[in-house]
Amino acid sequence: MRWPALARNTHKWLALAIGVQAALWTLSGLYMTAVHIDIIHGDHLVRHAAPTPIDLTGLVEPGAVMGGQPSASARLEVQLGRPVYVVAGGTGRALFDARTGRELSPLGEDAARARASELFAGAGALKTVELLAEAPPEIRGRPAPIWRVEFDGWWRPTLYISAQTGELVAKRHDLWRMFDVVWMLHIMDYQERENVNNTLLRVATWTAVVSCASGAWLLIFSFRRRRRARKAA
């Protein structure tokens, strides 16, 4: 087989093999650049209240809610208009009323509704509330149990509230969900959707490189053939 024919066949079959993935790279990249990353993150879904001073008068000592664990830590913040301690230690995380020392976790449905409504910056009404025993794929890796609170509105805005601490764990909407899919297609990690250096992506990338190189080879050969044809004429 002559070298030009080899290059032509190589380019044809490589282009056929990588063409679909190349189209997916292009379309997914277009989506990821067309929609601003701040919108994808869902920052517009959360109300960012100005910090307010906390009156420390009458608050229980942090050590009283830390259970005597030397590795535990307590953070003072305001939730639903009252000061609370978010305690993290060897036995997990918990929420305590900073004035009475009473444990507030796990949060019930009413508390989860109130907390999500306090955080949500949109105009839609609260739609559904569900307590999940394990984190769904769209917030994989987050600790459970967790409250999933969905609101009315474009793109199904959803807040995930920790049942143990009342903290906002994640915010999701359909634009983020679409981004997650196109990101998966872009990096070719169809399981965890995180590894940007996986074997499949490397193979596809080098296949595309070889396809481009064989195409350049054909282009150079076509120029040479035209020169020979002109000289012969």
Side-chain angles (χ1 to χ4, degrees):
M1 180 181 293
R2 294 183 177 181
W3 286 113
L6 176 61
R8 189 178 300 107
N9 288 332
T10 301
H11 181 71
K12 177 179 66 177
W13 289 109
L14 288 176
L16 181 63
I18 202 62
V20 174
Q21 183 58 45
L24 291 175
W25 280 333
T26 302
L27 294 174
S28 59
L30 179 63
Y31 180 84
M32 290 188 289
T33 55
V35 184
H36 198 281
I37 192 64
D38 288 342
I39 296 177
I40 297 298
H41 286 163
D43 296 336
H44 60 288
L45 299 178
V46 179
R47 182 181 292 110
H48 299 283
T52 55
I54 300 176
D55 184 7
L56 301 181
T57 305
L59 298 187
V60 300
E61 290 292 329
V65 298
M66 292 166 60
Q69 302 179 58
S71 61
S73 63
R75 185 179 74 251
L76 178 64
E77 62 179 50
V78 175
Q79 290 188 19
L80 299 177
R82 63 182 172 187
V84 295
Y85 286 120
V86 178
V87 177
T91 59
R93 299 169 66 85
L95 187 69
F96 293 85
D97 189 311
R99 298 202 181 278
T100 65
R102 181 172 64 91
E103 185 172 358
L104 303 175
S105 56
L107 271 63
E109 181 175 336
D110 291 341
R113 284 175 175 269
R115 181 63 173 149
S117 298
E118 178 185 49
L119 293 170
F120 186 58
L126 193 150
K127 186 177 179 181
T128 61
V129 181
E130 182 182 8
L131 180 61
L132 305 177
E134 59 183 51
E138 68 179 15
I139 59 165
R140 51 190 171 273
R142 303 304 203 280
I146 192 167
W147 286 100
R148 182 185 188 275
V149 185
E150 184 177 331
F151 292 83
D152 284 321
W154 290 97
W155 315 115
R156 291 191 302 141
T158 305
L159 300 184
Y160 288 92
I161 307 296
S162 170
Q164 295 303 117
T165 64
E167 296 171 295
L168 175 65
V169 176
K171 45 198 182 297
R172 296 290 182 262
H173 53 104
D174 284 344
L175 290 177
W176 185 96
R177 296 175 181 110
M178 293 170 62
F179 183 94
D180 193 41
V181 172
V182 299
W183 173 252
M184 173 192 70
L185 297 174
H186 198 78
I187 67 171
M188 303 182 71
D189 182 359
Y190 303 109
Q191 294 181 343
E192 300 300 326
R193 305 184 184 187
E194 297 177 353
N195 187 359
V196 296
N197 193 32
N198 61 80
T199 301
L200 185 58
L201 180 60
R202 293 200 300 269
V203 171
T205 301
W206 281 108
T207 302
V209 170
V210 175
S211 177
C212 291
S214 61
W217 187 10
L218 283 174
L219 185 62
I220 294 172
F221 172 75
S222 64
F223 286 150
R224 290 179 177 176
R225 185 170 60 180
R226 287 181 182 179
R227 290 197 195 99
R228 288 197 297 267
R230 288 174 184 173
K231 290 179 180 180

